[in-house]
Amino acid sequence: MSNRELGRSGIQVPALTFGGNVFGWTADQATSFSLLDALVDKQLNFIDTADVYSSWAPGNRGGESETVIGEWLKKSGKRDQVIIATKVGKPMGEGKQGLSPRYIQQAVEDSLRRLQTDYIDLYQSHDDDRDTPLEETLAAFDALIKAGKVRAIGASNYQADRLEEALQVSESNGLARYETLQPEYNLYAREGYEAELEGVAQVSLAWLIARPSITAPIVSATSLSQLDELVSATRLTLDADDIQTLNHASAE
C-alpha cells in the first residue's frame, strides 16, 4: 500500500486512518486487540485517538481508547510498527481543558502514560482555545517536539482564519507549525471544508482518498469483516468520470 506524507513532518502514513474512538466503547479489549493486530497486518497502521475518547459512554471518564491501545502496545511490542495520533483540549474533568502550556504539559504526560509509550507521532489540538494566545500554545507544542515526546503537531476543528493565524505565528516566531488539519469532510458534509479550508462506504472513502488535498480519511470498524471493507476501499480506483458523478450527486 502506498504511503503519503503528513504535511511536511516526514511521517509517512497509509491512505486510511483508523479511528480509535471505538476502542473501550463499541469494541471491547479483546475485539480492539484483534482489530489492531489486523490493522498492522494489512498495513493500515495509522491510528487516530484522543484523550477524551470515550467519555460519552456510560461509566467512562475519558482515556479509555488510549488505555486500550497502550495495553495492546505492551502486549504486542509493536510500537515501532504503528503511527499514533492523539489529541488534547476537550474537557477531561475540572480544570482539565484547553490549550494552555500548563495543561498541555499535564495532558501529554497523561496520554503517554495511558499509551505506554515515550512519544506520540502526531499530537493534535482537539479544539481551538481562543482564551490562550496562539504563541503560548505553539511554544508548548514546540517544546514537546524538542523534548522528543511528540514528532509533529496538528489541528482539529479549527476555522480557516484561526488556522492561518496559527501558521503565521509559527513562522514569525520560529515555532513548530500545525502540519495537519482534521476537519469534518465527506461526500455528505462538504461545504465547510471546500469553502474555507481546502488549499457506504468503499466508494465514499475512495472519493476522499482520490482528492489531492486529503492525506488519510479517518474511519472506524468494530469487526474484522468491517475492516476488510475498509481495506477494499484503498484498492478501489475512481476515474475522472466516477469522481465527477459523485461530486455532482453530493452537491445536490
Side-chain angles (χ1 to χ4, degrees), residues 137-181:
T137 294
L138 292 164
F141 284 138
D142 187 79
L144 293 180
I145 291 174
K146 290 176 178 175
K149 295 181 179 182
V150 171
R151 295 178 65 193
I153 58 172
S156 178
N157 301 315
Y158 266 55
Q159 297 298 315
D161 61 332
R162 286 286 285 176
L163 179 62
E164 181 179 4
E165 184 181 354
L167 294 174
Q168 290 174 349
V169 167
S170 293
E171 183 175 3
S172 298
N173 294 276
L175 299 172
R177 72 167 202 164
Y178 288 133
E179 295 293 347
T180 62
L181 172 67

Side-chain angles (χ1 to χ4, degrees), residues 6 9 11-13 45-47 73 79-86 112 115 117-124 145 148-154 179:
L6 284 177
S9 68
I11 300 173
Q12 298 290 320
V13 297
N45 62 335
F46 186 21
I47 315 298
L73 289 175
R79 177 63 185 95
D80 62 342
Q81 298 181 47
V82 291
I83 305 296
I84 296 176
T86 192
L112 289 169
L115 288 165
T117 183
D118 56 3
Y119 71 96
I120 294 166
D121 296 287
L122 179 65
Y123 201 38
Q124 302 161 99
I145 291 174
K149 295 181 179 182
V150 171
R151 295 178 65 193
I153 58 172
E179 295 293 347

Side-chain angles (χ1 to χ4, degrees), residues 6-40:
L6 284 177
R8 303 185 311 192
S9 68
I11 300 173
Q12 298 290 320
V13 297
L16 278 181
T17 309
F18 190 85
N21 59 312
V22 298
F23 301 142
W25 177 35
T26 50
D28 61 19
Q29 180 162 297
T31 302
S32 298
F33 280 19
S34 66
L35 286 168
L36 286 161
D37 285 332
L39 286 165
V40 172

Side-chain angles (χ1 to χ4, degrees), residues 15 21 78 107 118 172 175 217 223 245 247 252:
N21 59 312
K78 295 179 179 178
D118 56 3
S172 298
L175 299 172
S223 68
T245 299
N247 286 340
E252 298 296 328

Side-chain angles (χ1 to χ4, degrees), residues 47-247:
I47 315 298
D48 178 82
T49 186
D51 55 6
V52 76
Y53 296 167
S54 50
S55 63
W56 56 83
N60 286 0
R61 299 186 301 175
E64 287 79 16
S65 175
E66 290 182 332
T67 297
V68 169
I69 294 170
E71 291 296 325
W72 174 79
L73 289 175
K74 179 181 179 181
K75 179 182 179 182
S76 69
K78 295 179 179 178
R79 177 63 185 95
D80 62 342
Q81 298 181 47
V82 291
I83 305 296
I84 296 176
T86 192
K87 310 180 192 74
V88 58
K90 291 282 192 185
M92 285 287 288
E94 185 175 355
K96 296 182 177 182
Q97 183 177 356
L99 298 174
S100 70
R102 178 197 61 79
Y103 180 58
I104 288 174
Q105 183 60 46
Q106 176 186 351
V108 75
E109 295 299 334
D110 289 342
S111 286
L112 289 169
R113 174 177 48 79
R114 287 188 292 261
L115 288 165
Q116 300 193 50
T117 183
D118 56 3
Y119 71 96
I120 294 166
D121 296 287
L122 179 65
Y123 201 38
Q124 302 161 99
S125 300
H126 209 158
D127 275 325
D128 189 6
D129 178 4
R130 292 180 179 267
D131 293 328
T132 301
L134 284 167
E135 184 174 350
E136 293 183 11
T137 294
L138 292 164
F141 284 138
D142 187 79
L144 293 180
I145 291 174
K146 290 176 178 175
K149 295 181 179 182
V150 171
R151 295 178 65 193
I153 58 172
S156 178
N157 301 315
Y158 266 55
Q159 297 298 315
D161 61 332
R162 286 286 285 176
L163 179 62
E164 181 179 4
E165 184 181 354
L167 294 174
Q168 290 174 349
V169 167
S170 293
E171 183 175 3
S172 298
N173 294 276
L175 299 172
R177 72 167 202 164
Y178 288 133
E179 295 293 347
T180 62
L181 172 67
Q182 189 180 115
E184 179 187 23
Y185 185 58
N186 53 54
L187 269 172
Y188 181 75
R190 296 174 55 186
E191 183 176 1
Y193 175 75
E194 290 185 2
E196 298 186 3
L197 293 168
E198 185 175 24
V200 113
Q202 292 184 28
V203 172
S204 179
L205 288 172
W207 177 81
L208 283 168
I209 292 169
R211 198 164 185 92
S213 63
I214 303 296
T215 302
I218 301 174
V219 65
S220 294
T222 56
S223 68
L224 294 178
S225 60
Q226 290 177 356
L227 183 57
D228 287 338
E229 291 289 312
L230 305 185
V231 174
S232 296
T234 67
R235 299 170 180 159
L236 179 60
T237 302
L238 303 178
D239 60 28
D241 289 339
D242 294 330
I243 293 172
Q244 183 176 2
T245 299
L246 290 168
N247 286 340

